[in-house]
Amino acid sequence: MSDQTIGNKQVAFVRRDVTGTLPAPIMTRGLPAWLRENMFSTPLSGVLTLSSILLVVWIVPDMFRYLFTDAIWSAADGAPCRAPGAGACWAYVGAKFEYFMYGSYPRSQTWRVNLTLVIGAVLILWLLLPQAKKKGLAALMFFVVYPVAAFFLLRGLDGVLSLVETNLWGGVLVSLLVAAVGIVVSLPLGVLLALGRRSQLPFVKFFCVLFIEFVRGVPLITVLFMANTMLPLFVPQEWTPDRMLRPLIGVSLFAAAYMAEVVRGGLQAMPKGQFEGAMALGLSYWQMMRLIILPQALTTVIPGIVNSFIALFKDTTLVAIVGIFDFLRTVETARLDPVWAGPTISTTGYVFAAIFYWVFCFAMSRYSQMLETKLAAGRRR
Amino acid sequence: MAASSLIKTTPVTNDIAVEISGMHKWYGEFHVLRDVNLTVRRGEKIVICGPSGSGKSTMIRCINRLEEHQKGSIVVDGIPLTNDLKRIDEIRRDVGMVFQHFNLFPHLTVLENCTLAPIWVRKMPQKQAEEIAMHYLSRVKIPDQALKYPGQLSGGQQQRVAIARSLCMSPKIMMFDEPTSALDPEMVKEVLDTMVQLAQDGMTMLCVTHEMGFARQVADRVVFMDRGEIVEVNTPNEFFSNPQHERTKLFLSQILH
């Protein structure tokens, strides 16, 4: 410790050796600290934590019993599910699974639907996975080749594949079809509308403003009704759009109007200097937009774009209004089947539908978060 | 500055690079540029100074049509500036511009920033564009930063990238719009050195700047603007030692302490 040699007149009170490091107080590390920081930082937070725990204890065991232990996993008909105390009737979902997937699509031909969905899934993964190579080829396949191939696969081709009219299509097939077409069409169309709305050409600008404000001003149901009943009136009879095509057009145009405003938000956020920098180098308007402005503007509004996609995905359920059998509509009709009817059937069907929509929406959300982190890391400003 | 006369070795030819005559510009009702007349010969270095709001930046921004003038004529490299978009693009290809806030593209690497315009505007093969970009990045002394993003560089480095990016288009004229005003003081010199070097290579330059040392060292003529007018044009020696106009004297007394 301190030296104190009074005889030699060397008196020093300076400590020469370093003391050992002390451990941090118990309340600042490990589990106790974490609990205190996150669960009980204030009295209010403590109360909320306790009531949340109570809520979980109250709900989860019952839910678990209903969905798993008391659930009927296999049955020939609805009798076991109607027994008192029976939980979710998964046997019913199993029995109706093909109907949920394909609607009234001929059962012998459902391999065509499966093939289409698998090819679509592979192409989407190829497009979206950051580590995949040759994105240009993937885009060409997905946006040009795939739609044509899917059309002939699903609808049929003279002499090769039997014709399946669109009024037989239904279920997950239709939901994914409407969502995919809506997403693929609405983004580029939305970008064009957003650019048009900022255009200096008065006519282009007027048309884009009119379209966006009109479509945003009416409910999707109205758009669907109009597409269904009025679209056929505008074109010669032999050109009347297929009844499946009408809601596709309606949903796409509707989503595009919202997308346009999201994209315009991103364009507004671009500093003027980026436009000037690009113009001063002699880039044309379209080169400037494609190479400089849009890549940055779209990155900024990824959360808004994905938000629109998720909303669109759930809005596809509204096509049922014009008589299209989307996934939710098949769940709705299947629960009326007298063979299966029972007290738990509706709940089971809706839980199944909820899981389906949640999985897709959550996947979109996670993908966008991953994309944001990745882009943010690449371009620190 | 004694060294000033040593720098000016590059010949000023009689070819006309830029000719502005009788140009007026309004922002709404506000008369920003009044009867501007200026002829820049090839190889000439012009420094434009004046109080803020005097229209210096607006004037050079009219030359590559970042701003539109309403009256008078501008001829750049023999091409009259009209509303014809083709001609505007033609002019912009040959007129490089360096901005106060660099305006680099943050989503592209330094190298991509430099190769973008040669590849898309000049239709140059990528490999050749990269070679040229590396050449100019070496000249502004930052070849080792080529694969970084602009956000990872210092302000001085970013401005030098911006200069290299313009040079990659092999412009006939370079315009600088207060290139050092947004920089930290210790980075001003590296950018000015790059500009001096460019001047020595005989580039036609129009610089809006408050760096009077640079004006003395490099300029063939100094243009003084105030309230939208060109008040005085003179050689740097005359301009600084014997200003003709009252407004010039006032301005110089305010900036030269």
Side-chain angles (χ1 to χ4, degrees):
Chain A
M1 299 293 269
S2 56
D3 313 19
Q4 206 175 21
T5 324
I6 296 176
N8 274 345
K9 289 191 178 172
Q10 188 195 21
V11 182
F13 292 101
V14 179
R15 175 184 272 167
R16 286 188 177 160
D17 45 347
V18 179
T19 55
T21 45
L22 292 173
I26 187 80
M27 288 313 280
T28 62
R29 65 204 159 92
L31 184 66
W34 184 86
L35 279 176
R36 189 182 154 134
E37 187 94 339
N38 296 296
M39 298 286 172
F40 299 99
S41 55
T42 63
L44 177 66
S45 153
V47 170
L48 286 177
T49 302
L50 289 177
S51 33
S52 305
I53 290 173
L54 283 178
L55 199 69
V56 168
V57 169
W58 182 43
I59 291 178
V60 168
D62 276 351
M63 209 159 100
F64 189 79
R65 259 195 301 280
Y66 183 84
L67 291 179
F68 298 102
T69 48
D70 289 353
I72 308 298
W73 293 90
S74 63
D77 58 22
C81 297
R82 285 191 284 268
C89 188
W90 297 123
Y92 151 79
V93 172
K96 295 288 182 190
F97 190 75
E98 288 205 314
Y99 182 59
F100 291 161
M101 284 296 290
Y102 316 110
S104 308
Y105 206 92
R107 289 294 175 266
S108 61
Q109 302 293 318
T110 51
W111 64 269
R112 283 156 57 175
V113 178
N114 293 339
L115 185 63
T116 313
L117 292 182
V118 167
I119 296 175
V122 169
L123 287 177
I124 286 176
L125 281 181
W126 185 6
L127 262 183
L128 297 189
L129 284 183
Q131 55 268 43
K133 298 276 179 294
K134 292 191 179 171
K135 297 276 185 181
L137 182 63
L140 181 76
M141 296 286 281
F142 185 73
F143 293 108
V144 182
V145 180
Y146 180 64
V148 179
F151 177 79
F152 287 118
L153 254 177
L154 292 175
R155 194 161 181 280
L157 189 62
D158 269 345
V160 187
L161 291 167
S162 59
L163 189 71
V164 180
E165 286 295 346
T166 53
N167 54 13
L168 297 176
W169 300 13
V172 169
L173 163 64
V174 164
S175 287
L176 292 182
L177 176 74
V178 177
V181 170
I183 286 172
V184 168
V185 174
S186 72
L187 184 58
L189 197 58
V191 168
L192 288 179
L193 283 168
L195 292 178
R197 189 166 185 163
R198 287 167 53 96
S199 167
Q200 314 223 325
L201 308 170
F203 181 75
V204 173
K205 182 174 178 170
F206 174 77
F207 173 79
C208 291
V209 172
L210 190 75
F211 177 86
I212 292 170
E213 295 305 335
F214 176 73
V215 173
R216 287 202 309 163
V218 294
L220 176 55
I221 293 185
T222 318
V223 176
L224 288 175
F225 270 130
M226 277 175 53
N228 201 38
T229 55
M230 288 170 65
L231 216 51
L233 302 180
F234 292 145
V235 292
Q237 193 146 32
E238 58 272 23
W239 288 5
T240 303
D242 181 88
R243 57 180 280 289
M244 179 63 80
L245 187 59
R246 292 176 220 162
L248 287 182
I249 295 172
V251 166
S252 300
L253 294 183
F254 187 79
Y258 281 86
M259 192 57 70
E261 288 298 281
V262 172
V263 173
R264 192 167 67 93
L267 292 175
Q268 306 281 62
M270 287 299 295
K272 205 168 150 232
Q274 292 291 308
F275 293 88
E276 289 179 350
M279 285 193 283
L281 284 170
L283 294 179
S284 71
Y285 174 83
W286 290 108
Q287 286 174 336
M288 167 174 82
M289 284 301 167
R290 190 159 59 88
L291 301 167
I292 307 299
I293 305 301
L294 284 174
Q296 297 182 63
L298 292 180
T299 311
T300 321
V301 293
I302 284 177
I305 292 176
V306 174
N307 200 23
S308 294
F309 284 168
I310 289 176
L312 166 69
F313 187 74
K314 291 183 294 186
D315 278 352
T316 58
T317 50
L318 286 171
V319 297
I321 281 280
V322 288
I324 306 290
F325 270 75
D326 78 310
F327 171 57
L328 193 64
R329 184 78 189 276
T330 57
V331 173
E332 276 276 289
T333 45
R335 76 199 174 91
L336 302 175
D337 182 353
V339 177
W340 288 94
T344 60
I345 293 301
S346 297
T347 331
T348 307
Y350 289 134
V351 167
F352 181 62
I355 293 170
F356 168 81
Y357 285 106
W358 183 82
V359 164
F360 275 87
C361 294
F362 188 66
M364 283 194 257
S365 162
R366 294 305 300 189
Y367 178 74
S368 89
Q369 279 173 29
M370 187 275 282
L371 202 61
E372 273 172 60
T373 338
K374 183 173 164 290
L375 292 177
R379 327 171 163 168
R380 285 182 290 268
R381 296 193 193 205
Chain B
M1 226 173 265
S4 61
S5 51
L6 296 176
I7 299 280
K8 280 173 234 155
T9 50
T10 55
V12 174
T13 64
N14 280 326
D15 293 354
I16 290 171
V18 180
E19 181 156 37
I20 305 175
S21 42
M23 177 177 70
H24 291 258
K25 173 169 178 60
W26 288 264
Y27 282 128
E29 288 292 303
F30 181 54
H31 202 167
V32 232
L33 292 177
R34 304 152 189 246
D35 193 26
V36 172
N37 294 282
L38 183 67
T39 304
V40 183
R41 281 163 297 158
R42 199 171 300 293
E44 203 175 13
K45 292 112 193 75
I46 304 248
V47 165
I48 302 153
C49 60
S52 67
S54 57
K56 321 178 283 288
S57 294
T58 312
M59 180 182 82
I60 65 165
R61 287 159 61 87
C62 283
I63 295 172
N64 65 351
R65 236 334 143 84
L66 291 182
E67 304 279 355
E68 198 178 337
H69 64 282
Q70 277 89 33
K71 209 174 149 196
S73 76
I74 302 177
V75 180
V76 183
D77 199 34
I79 308 168
L81 196 55
T82 59
N83 280 326
D84 184 350
L85 287 176
K86 258 201 179 139
R87 285 197 171 155
I88 294 174
D89 281 344
E90 224 173 297
I91 289 173
R92 284 175 178 166
R93 251 172 280 175
D94 288 339
V95 178
M97 184 152 191
V98 175
F99 299 86
Q100 182 178 0
H101 296 288
F102 330 137
N103 296 357
L104 294 175
F105 308 130
H107 62 303
L108 302 176
T109 61
V110 164
L111 186 64
E112 288 166 338
N113 263 279
C114 293
T115 56
L116 183 100
I119 289 175
W120 291 93
V121 179
R122 294 242 189 262
K123 312 291 176 205
M124 195 182 279
Q126 187 179 350
K127 202 146 175 248
Q128 192 190 347
E130 280 175 3
E131 275 165 22
I132 291 176
M134 288 312 295
H135 168 74
Y136 284 113
L137 286 173
S138 306
R139 275 198 40 192
V140 301
K141 302 191 178 68
I142 36 175
D144 44 329
Q145 312 284 351
L147 298 180
K148 288 192 182 168
Y149 286 91
Q152 295 164 291
L153 306 187
S154 73
Q157 290 174 321
Q158 290 193 43
Q159 193 61 296
R160 285 185 283 153
V161 172
I163 295 172
R165 178 175 76 174
S166 289
L167 292 177
C168 284
M169 286 292 281
S170 359
K172 294 178 180 154
I173 302 159
M174 282 288 282
M175 304 200 294
F176 295 81
D177 188 358
E178 305 202 20
T180 55
S181 300
L183 296 177
D184 291 339
E186 75 269 24
M187 295 172 181
V188 169
K189 189 171 177 297
E190 62 187 58
V191 171
L192 288 181
D193 285 349
T194 310
M195 291 167 63
V196 169
Q197 195 196 6
L198 198 57
Q200 286 169 328
D201 293 347
M203 177 64 76
T204 312
M205 291 164 71
L206 283 106
C207 312
V208 173
T209 181
H210 297 296
E211 298 292 336
M212 290 303 130
F214 175 80
R216 278 183 209 263
Q217 194 183 357
V218 166
D220 294 306
R221 284 187 293 162
V222 177
V223 173
F224 173 69
M225 288 184 75
D226 190 23
R227 286 177 236 159
E229 291 174 309
I230 292 184
V231 176
E232 188 168 341
V233 182
N234 222 327
T235 60
N237 267 339
E238 280 292 299
F239 181 82
F240 289 111
S241 55
N242 188 19
Q244 299 297 306
H245 203 284
E246 277 310 310
R247 284 194 264 175
T248 319
K249 286 175 192 165
L250 180 66
F251 174 72
L252 287 174
S253 73
Q254 281 164 342
I255 59 160
L256 305 172
H257 312 288

